[in-house]
RNA sequence: GCGGAUGUGGCGUAAUUGGUAGCCGCGCUAGACUUAGGAUCUAGUGCCGAGAGGCGUAGGAGUUCGAGUCUCCUCAUCCGCACCA
């Protein structure tokens, strides 16, 4: 009997649990380190081999850091609110809490089998009332704060009220939905309800009518990042635009800080770039255009104020409030029908027909403030309501979209930047010289823009500004399975509940569907109102509510009085290493940063950024196997011969295929229709084809970690997942290679055992060579761990085990440190060996072995000798030999003389301890 | 279209600072052992060539004594964004 991983793994998992080995407390004099995995949504399908990839990497790092003397916080929990459990509840009538609980139990079992070092004492799920109490609490704080644009931080709404009561909107520096203007007297004269409505214009969590992504199939509104290519991210259902009253978070107020903060975090360049694009900062100007013959103005945002003399028409988005006011009687019918058509188009339609030009003339004109020219105002879909002001000044000569529009409707195109050929296409460069532009003629573009902005300011019709693409986040969902808003309505105006009344519990409902009148499911709950009888909000919060600040709660998970205590927050600070998928780049990772910055502003947390270092693990794709059935038969032809027949490829369960060879007997019993199938073989085997696809049940390519653990053990699975390649890289799962790692684990075990599998480690003094191997390994593992290069570390373990096996080394002074080194990777194996070595404590708490450089000092160096850069031979010289001496020696070498072939070297390059290159 | 990343044996990959390209593992070949197996061990395995040797890191050019690594161009693949004014 060799290494019995089943017994060993079970035994130590129990031991770790019984002895609370992974429990962590704050320890004042010990440096902290916080390692966090993006917490999982517990889906019904359980874990497949792709999920633990990141968890294994972070677990290795957490264990390593602990052995290096850090107090490591490494928690786990569940993002438990969400659509799948609710969809399932709608179908079956079963409460989503029950499904969620079952799924979590399954997840936990699977996670436990892999041997993670999570501190489960800190576990929570977002659907626990003790947890969502704090999600609701943060919402109340957001509601009670506004963003001061002058001091660039959140401030209490009471201060804003004070300001309005004494100065009105004068000198007000607040992020707002729309600019308002009134005096203190006007404010004070307003009713309570009127004032509350106005305050919504400034609150960081506010209620507003806005054009939202409405998904009828899911019966809810979605945030921008939840809509992908015009369909819902979950389920892939169509999304429409709809004007609805919704809770919204004023994320846009933090756009600039979210952008700047990226410079302070250690994230991959690609993910920072995705966030930068999503935030989409652009510099330009707001300019107000007077409408001809009307007491109205049209505001535009432009990044190219330098092209103001090239404006030949204006465009408003179909949602623009001004349309009704300025459209002329003659144009009204046409405009109405266009606007109706455009507003009711789905996101998908819009996006697939981007190249199609459409629009309609309003009949109204604006006046160019710089030359008094009358310019026609159009309505067109290509101008978006959510960006800038919803209106643009069109400069067809220097913007390709305006150009296409002008060509289509035969509008004038006027060149104002020299250098292009506007008869062919728009000339969009930002380097160039202004022409046909009055007082900015001959100026470079940048100078021209500056001058125009100065003029705009002096005319009092605008200002230079920065605009962001980042939009406020819709925060309401018309669903059941989420956090209830701690909000009630009085006179139609929202108020938040007092903090003492939290948590506001999710009520029971008879059905998880909207009411007959189209209200969200919570409206079905009996008595869904406050003690005083005011109706409560019936929407719930979105999935990202609970995941935005969860990292904080792990610091102080059971605190009933605070989200996190000041003391514990100051100890744990923020996440040192965050591991998770790159798909959260524009969702969770933005919201979470926003949420944290707000909590920083109100002095709840001590760090401005939540996640210092981020690693995005790659996706593990499935490797699907195919068999080939000859058309109209039950005959299957092997991969290499299939081209001689007309065949249908059929996906086959990867679990009955080994190294692409089909287990024919298993195949016959896989499905009844294959029972009497026959086969055309090559070399007596049926060879399957393969393809890389997403891992999914329907493709029969799912590899379940439990099966692999049963066959090879958790340590093998852990090391194999790391061995596949760099953590960040996406790669197809291929079980074939796992045998190699399995052999390695057994070989490692055999170092400590004799042929009869008796533990046999001796106390002899190791040789210099054995010490060299050990310290080379210590150095390598330490370096690789530090740079998250776990694949190369596994390979380094294999090399040293091969070398120690060759030396038949079974010496304690080598093998004991080796067991510590490998414990982060193969904790069960390491713990067993550690105890066999006579230790009574856990290897988890052992110190990482100290590297001693002396053991690696070489007395001689083997030099590759190359001629014109091509390596020809090798020569050994003492390590301390001078360059001059080496040169003399090498030229006497008979082999070198042979390669010189009678010529004399032009130059000899000798890099000490590296290389000798002879140039002929 | 814009932005980012990647490209190395049959396969997954390695080469940390410009210094012997292919470590480690899979697969494959041959052999040993064996109550035949999806176990273990030994040797070999980038390509061409009998060999000497030649070629070789997507392709092309360049810098350098020396390039997988640096620069420029081209191609391919993946990811993100996409009427963002």
């Amino acid at each position: 009997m060799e290494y019995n991983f089943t017994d060993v793994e079970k035994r130590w998992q129990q031991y770790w649990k019984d002895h609370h080995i992974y429990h962590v407390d704050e320890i004042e004099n010990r440096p902290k380190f916080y390692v966090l995995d993006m917490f999982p949504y517990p889906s019904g399908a359980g874990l497949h081999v792709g999920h633990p990839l990141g968890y294994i990497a972070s677990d290795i790092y957490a264990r390593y850091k602990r052995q290096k003397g850090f107090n490591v916080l490494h928690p786990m929990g569940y993002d438990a609110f969400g659509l799948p459990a609710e969809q399932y509840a709608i179908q079956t009538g079963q409460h989503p809490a029950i499904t969620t609980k079952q799924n979590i139990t399954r997840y936990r079992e699977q996670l436990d089998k892999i041997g993670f070092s999570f501190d489960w004492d800190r576990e929570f799920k977002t659907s626990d009332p003790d947890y969502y109490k704090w999600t609701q609490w943060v919402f109340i704080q957001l509601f009670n704060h506004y963003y001061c644009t002058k001091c660039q931080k959140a401030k209490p709404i009471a201060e804003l009220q004070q300001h309005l009561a004494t100065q009105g909107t004068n000198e007000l520096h607040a992020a707002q939905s729309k600019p308002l203007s009134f005096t203190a007297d006007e404010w004070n004269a307003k009713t309570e309800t009127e004032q509350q409505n106005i305050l919504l214009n400034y609150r960081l969590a506010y209620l507003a009518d806005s054009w939202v992504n409405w998904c009828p199939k899911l019966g809810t509104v979605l945030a921008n990042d939840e809509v992908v290519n015009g369909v819902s991210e979950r389920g892939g259902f169509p999304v429409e635009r709809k004007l609805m009253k919704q809770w919204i978070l004023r994320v846009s107020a933090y756009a600039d800080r979210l952008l700047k903060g990226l410079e302070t975090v250690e994230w991959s360049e690609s993910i920072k770039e995705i966030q930068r694009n999503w935030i989409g900062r652009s510099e330009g100007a707001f300019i107000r255009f007077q409408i001809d013959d009307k007491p109205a103005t049209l505001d535009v945002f432009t990044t190219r104020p330098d092209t103001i003399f090239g404006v030949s028409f204006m465009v408003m988005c179909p949602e623009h409030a001004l349309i009704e006011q300025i459209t002329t009687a003659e144009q009204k019918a046409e405009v109405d029908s266009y606007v109706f058509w455009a507003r009711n188009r789905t996101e998908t339609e819009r996006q697939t027909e981007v190249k199609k030009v459409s629009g309609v003339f309003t009949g109204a004109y604006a006046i160019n403030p710089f030359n008094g020219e009358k310019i026609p105002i159009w309505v067109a879909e290509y101008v978006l309501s959510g960006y800038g002001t919803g209106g643009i000044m069109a400069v067809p000569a220097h913007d390709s979209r305006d150009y296409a529009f002008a060509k289509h409707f035969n509008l004038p195109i006027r060149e104002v930047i020299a250098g292009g050929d506007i008869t062919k296409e728009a000339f969009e460069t930002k380097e160039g010289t202004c022409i046909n532009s009055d007082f900015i003629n001959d100026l470079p573009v940048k100078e021209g823009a500056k001058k125009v902005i100065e003029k705009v300011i002096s005319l009092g019709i605008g200002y230079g500004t920065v605009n962001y693409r980042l939009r406020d986040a819709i925060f309401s969902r018309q669903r059941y399975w989420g956090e209830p808003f701690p909000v009630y309505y009085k006179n139609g105006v929202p108020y938040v509940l007092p903090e003492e009344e939290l948590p506001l519990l999710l009520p029971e409902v008879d059905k998880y569907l909207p009411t007959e009148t189209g209200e969200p499911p919570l409206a079905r709950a009996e008595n869904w109102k406050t003690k005083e009888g005011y109706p409560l909000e019936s929407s719930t919060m979105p999935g990202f509510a609970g995941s935005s600040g969860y990292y904080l709660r792990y610091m102080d998970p059971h605190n009933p009085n605070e989200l996190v205590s000041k003391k514990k927050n100051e100890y744990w600070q923020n996440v040192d290493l965050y591991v998770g998928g790159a798909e959260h780049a524009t969702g969770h990772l933005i919201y979470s940063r926003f949420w944290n910055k707000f909590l920083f502003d109100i002095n709840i947390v001590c760090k401005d950024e939540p996640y210092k270092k981020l690693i995005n693990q790659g996706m593990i794709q499935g490797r699907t196997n195919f068999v080939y059935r000859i058309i109209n038969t039950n005959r299957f032809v092997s991969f290499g011969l299939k081209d001689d027949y007309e065949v249908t490829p059929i996906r086959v369960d990867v679990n009955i295929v080994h190294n692409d060879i089909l287990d024919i007997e298993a195949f016959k019993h896989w499905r009844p229709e294959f029972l009497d199938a026959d086969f055309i073989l090559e070399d007596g085997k049926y060879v399957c084809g393969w393809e890389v696809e997403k891992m999914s049940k329907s493709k029969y390519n799912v590899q379940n970690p439990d099966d692999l653990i049963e066959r090879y053990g958790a340590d093998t699975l852990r090391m194999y997942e790391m061995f596949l390649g760099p953590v960040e890289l996406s790669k197809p799962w291929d079980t074939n290679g796992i045998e190699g790692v399995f052999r390695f684990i057994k070989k490692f075990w055999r170092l400590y055992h004799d042929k009869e599998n008796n533990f046999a480690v001796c106390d002899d003094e190791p040789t210099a060579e054995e010490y060299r191997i050990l310290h080379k390994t210590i150095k390598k593992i330490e370096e690789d761990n530090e740079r998250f290069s776990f694949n190369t570390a596994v390979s380094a373990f294999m090399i040293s085990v091969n070398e120690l096996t060759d030396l038949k080394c079974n010496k304690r002074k080598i093998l004991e440190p080796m067991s510590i080194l490998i414990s982060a990777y193969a904790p069960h194996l390491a713990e067993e060996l550690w105890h066999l070595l006579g230790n009574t404590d856990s290897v988890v708490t052992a110190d990482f072995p100290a590297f001693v450089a002396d053991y690696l000092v070489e007395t001689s160096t083997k030099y590759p000798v190359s001629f014109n850069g091509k390596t020809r031979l090798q020569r050994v010289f003492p390590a301390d030999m001078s360059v001059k001496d080496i040169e003399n020696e090498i030229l006497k070498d008979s082999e070198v003389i042979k390669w010189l072939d009678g010529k004399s070297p032009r130059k000899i390059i000798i890099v000490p301890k590296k290389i000798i290159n002879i140039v002929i």
Side-chain angles (χ1 to χ4, degrees), chain A residues 655-807:
Chain A
N655 293 298
I656 57 169
V657 178
H658 307 289
N659 297 333
D660 291 336
I661 309 296
L662 181 70
D663 179 338
I664 289 174
E665 275 315 301
F667 178 73
K668 284 182 167 181
H669 293 95
W670 184 44
R671 297 245 205 98
E673 71 255 43
F674 300 142
L675 197 59
D676 48 3
D678 69 321
F679 303 87
I680 303 175
L681 307 177
E682 38 186 329
D683 304 330
K685 292 175 201 154
Y686 189 97
V687 181
C688 298
W690 59 274
E691 237 173 76
V692 171
E693 299 181 293
K694 210 183 140 180
M695 203 174 271
S696 91
K697 251 183 182 171
S698 63
K699 298 189 166 71
Y700 305 111
N701 61 4
V702 172
Q703 287 285 349
N704 175 307
D706 309 61
D707 298 346
L708 292 165
I709 288 170
E710 202 177 306
R711 203 149 91 205
Y712 300 106
D715 288 335
T716 300
L717 177 76
R718 289 170 64 106
M719 291 197 89
Y720 182 57
E721 292 223 9
M722 293 300 100
F723 188 59
L724 281 174
V727 207
E728 296 94 330
L729 224 74
S730 285
K731 53 233 151 190
W733 178 263
D734 185 350
T735 309
N736 286 336
I738 201 168
E739 301 280 350
V741 175
F742 188 50
R743 271 176 217 141
F744 157 78
I745 294 274
K746 288 188 285 191
K747 204 165 175 181
F748 196 97
W749 174 262
R750 282 201 296 273
L751 280 175
Y752 300 69
H753 292 80
D754 63 20
K755 283 210 171 68
E756 281 73 47
N757 202 33
N758 297 309
F759 183 74
V761 168
C762 72
D763 290 320
D764 299 354
E765 184 61 19
T767 64
E769 177 61 6
E770 287 163 340
Y771 272 128
R772 196 191 59 80
I773 293 168
L774 173 65
H775 284 271
K776 179 188 76 174
T777 310
I778 295 172
K779 182 164 186 277
K780 176 78 176 152
I781 299 304
E782 186 165 345
E783 284 169 357
D784 285 353
N785 283 345
E786 289 292 349
R787 65 190 177 106
F788 310 99
S789 179
F790 305 116
N791 55 327
T792 53
V794 174
S795 131
F797 279 123
M798 289 174 170
I799 293 167
S800 46
V801 166
N802 289 345
E803 289 172 349
L804 292 173
T805 303
D806 288 346
L807 294 174

Side-chain angles (χ1 to χ4, degrees), chain A residues 10-82:
Chain A
K10 219 182 268 162
R11 196 146 37 78
W12 292 114
Q13 281 167 13
Q14 193 58 46
Y15 171 91
W16 295 327
K17 200 171 158 193
D18 293 345
H19 292 78
H20 306 283
I21 295 292
Y22 301 125
H23 179 81
V24 56
D25 287 310
E26 295 71 38
I27 303 172
E28 277 317 319
N29 50 5
R30 220 161 167 206
K32 69 95 190 189
F33 201 90
Y34 189 174
V35 179
L36 184 63
D37 298 290
M38 286 187 188
F39 67 173
Y41 176 81
S43 81
L47 291 171
H48 67 61
V49 289
H51 296 113
L53 182 73
Y55 303 158
I56 294 168
S58 60
D59 193 62
I60 289 169
Y61 200 75
R63 287 172 179 275
Y64 163 72
K65 276 293 188 188
R66 184 163 178 182
Q67 292 179 328
K68 288 294 270 185
F70 289 87
N71 190 25
V72 177
L73 178 56
H74 188 215
M76 180 52 89
Y78 305 95
D79 186 12
F81 279 133

Side-chain angles (χ1 to χ4, degrees), chain A residues 863-874 890 896 899 907-909 915-920:
Chain A
Y863 283 90
V865 182
S866 57
F867 294 81
N868 291 340
K870 278 193 170 54
T871 308
R872 297 299 182 185
L873 50 122
Q874 291 168 343
I890 199 74
V896 170
W899 276 101
K907 200 171 173 186
I908 300 177
I909 288 120
I915 196 169
I916 299 170
N917 189 15
I918 300 170
V919 187
I920 309 174

